[in-house]
């Protein structure tokens, strides 16, 4: 009975290992290993989401959705730069403050993205609503990170542009059971000025909801008070309703 040369057996062993790394090989008559390149995946990769820019704009909240207290914004709220632009004492909490200041908890948009902002002049509140085309897995990773914030960054300090010390408290914010996944946070930021011997309190609600592969982000901030939970809940519900309707219409036309 003929025996398989040891060098050929070694070649086959190397081939098996190569297959695990998506490469292929064969052993010639000489027993030497010949590598065959793995096929290249030439299929086009989908960009973030399938929502178009026009569809994202159509899914934005309007004044009619929010009620008479809200009007189109006259510009960025003064507290955005004076308080939210701050450096935290830990990197993870600094990441949260950066996401809040830039309003990019999912990072810089890579797909369709639309934003609308409204002011409530009575208490210097501002509401900003974003619609983003993303991927479900990417949204869920960010939501999972946000869920850790009430434990990781429950209380921390930072330094803002116009104040000496900033004391920040992070808590969970209950959201309506809408969309496919969601997370809400309430941040209470108390800014202290040594020179003026004053304290200024800003409360910001951050609501993020995934709807299919897309997401909405709602940021509501109020100076000297707290955003109305009813207003936040209403904005979340109607924001999800509008995005769901746009997605449904897109599927019908496809």
């Amino acid at each position: 009975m003929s025996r398989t040369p040891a060098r050929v057996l070694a070649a086959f062993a190397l081939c098996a290992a190569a297959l695990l790394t998506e490469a292929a090989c064969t052993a010639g008559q000489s027993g030497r290993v010949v590598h065959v390149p793995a096929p290249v995946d030439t299929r086009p990769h989908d960009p973030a989401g399938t929502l178009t820019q026009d569809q994202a704009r159509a899914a934005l909240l309007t004044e009619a959705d929010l009620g008479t207290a809200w009007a189109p914004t006259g510009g960025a709220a003064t507290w955005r730069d004076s308080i939210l632009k701050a450096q935290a004492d830990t990197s993870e909490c600094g990441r949260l403050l950066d996401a809040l200041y830039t309003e990019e908890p999912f990072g810089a948009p890579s797909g369709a993205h639309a934003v609308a902002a409204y002011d409530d002049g009575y208490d210097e509140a501002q509401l900003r609503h974003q619609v983003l085309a993303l991927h479900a897995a990417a949204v869920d990773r960010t939501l999972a990170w946000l869920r850790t914030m009430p434990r990781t960054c429950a209380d921390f300090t930072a330094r803002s542009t116009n104040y000496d010390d900033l004391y920040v408290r992070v808590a969970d914010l209950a959201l309506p059971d809408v969309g496919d996944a969601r997370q809400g946070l309430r941040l209470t930021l108390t800014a202290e000025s040594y020179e003026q011997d004053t304290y200024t309190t800003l409360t910001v609600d951050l609501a993020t909801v995934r709807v299919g592969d897309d997401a909405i982000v709602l940021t509501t901030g109020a100076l000297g008070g707290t955003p109305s939970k009813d207003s936040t809940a209403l904005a979340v519900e109607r924001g999800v309703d509008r995005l769901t309707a746009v997605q449904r219409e897109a599927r019908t036309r496809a």
Side-chain angles (χ1 to χ4, degrees), residues 151-168:
R151 297 188 304 275
T152 305
C153 297
D155 294 279
F156 65 95
T157 58
R159 283 187 172 271
S160 67
T161 304
N162 294 355
Y163 294 90
D164 297 292
D165 285 313
L166 190 64
Y167 306 96
V168 186

Side-chain angles (χ1 to χ4, degrees), residues 173 175 183-185 205-209 216-220 232 236:
L173 177 69
L175 299 180
Q183 177 59 36
L185 296 176
D205 287 350
L206 174 65
T208 51
V209 183
I216 67 169
V217 178
L218 278 160
T219 309
T220 309
T232 299
V236 168

Side-chain angles (χ1 to χ4, degrees), residues 40-53:
V40 177
D41 185 0
T42 58
R43 293 173 298 177
H45 295 283
D46 291 334
T50 57
L51 199 71
T52 68
Q53 190 65 35

Side-chain angles (χ1 to χ4, degrees), residues 25-254:
C25 59
T26 183
Q29 290 183 349
S30 64
R32 291 180 299 174
V33 177
V34 180
H35 291 277
V36 180
V40 177
D41 185 0
T42 58
R43 293 173 298 177
H45 295 283
D46 291 334
T50 57
L51 199 71
T52 68
Q53 190 65 35
D54 286 343
Q55 289 167 345
R57 281 194 290 265
L60 288 172
L61 292 169
T62 66
E63 291 178 77
D65 295 312
L66 298 174
T68 57
W70 298 93
T73 185
T78 56
W79 43 257
R80 183 166 299 281
D81 281 337
S82 63
I83 298 179
L84 285 186
K85 192 175 184 180
Q87 292 184 329
D89 52 6
T90 66
S91 60
E92 197 68 4
C93 301
R95 178 186 170 193
L96 176 61
L97 282 183
D98 289 345
L100 201 64
Y101 174 70
T102 61
E103 296 182 322
E104 295 179 350
F106 299 107
S110 60
H113 171 237
V115 59
Y118 298 92
D119 293 336
D120 179 352
Y122 178 74
D123 55 4
E124 296 187 61
Q126 186 172 87
L127 180 150
R128 292 175 66 86
H129 174 218
Q130 298 181 73
V131 178
L132 304 98
L134 296 164
H135 287 301
V139 176
D140 288 344
R141 281 194 298 271
T142 297
L143 293 178
W145 170 66
L146 290 173
R147 290 188 190 105
T148 68
M149 290 296 97
R151 297 188 304 275
T152 305
C153 297
D155 294 279
F156 65 95
T157 58
R159 283 187 172 271
S160 67
T161 304
N162 294 355
Y163 294 90
D164 297 292
D165 285 313
L166 190 64
Y167 306 96
V168 186
R169 174 163 293 181
V170 182
D172 278 306
L173 177 69
L175 299 180
D177 188 16
V178 293
D180 298 302
R182 68 210 63 81
Q183 177 59 36
L185 296 176
R186 168 163 286 183
L187 286 83
T188 304
L189 305 96
T190 302
E192 180 182 11
S193 172
Y194 297 157
E195 182 178 351
Q196 300 178 8
D197 192 24
T198 58
Y199 289 89
T200 302
T201 300
L202 169 68
T203 305
V204 181
D205 287 350
L206 174 65
T208 51
V209 183
R210 177 171 68 79
V211 185
D213 272 333
D214 307 315
I216 67 169
V217 178
L218 278 160
T219 309
T220 309
L223 197 63
T226 58
S228 166
K229 288 185 178 180
D230 291 340
S231 295
T232 299
L234 178 64
V236 168
E237 289 176 343
R238 294 193 173 174
V240 170
D241 286 345
R242 291 186 69 90
L243 180 53
T244 301
V246 167
Q247 292 172 332
R248 186 184 303 115
E249 183 179 359
R251 288 193 297 269
T252 301
R253 292 183 176 183

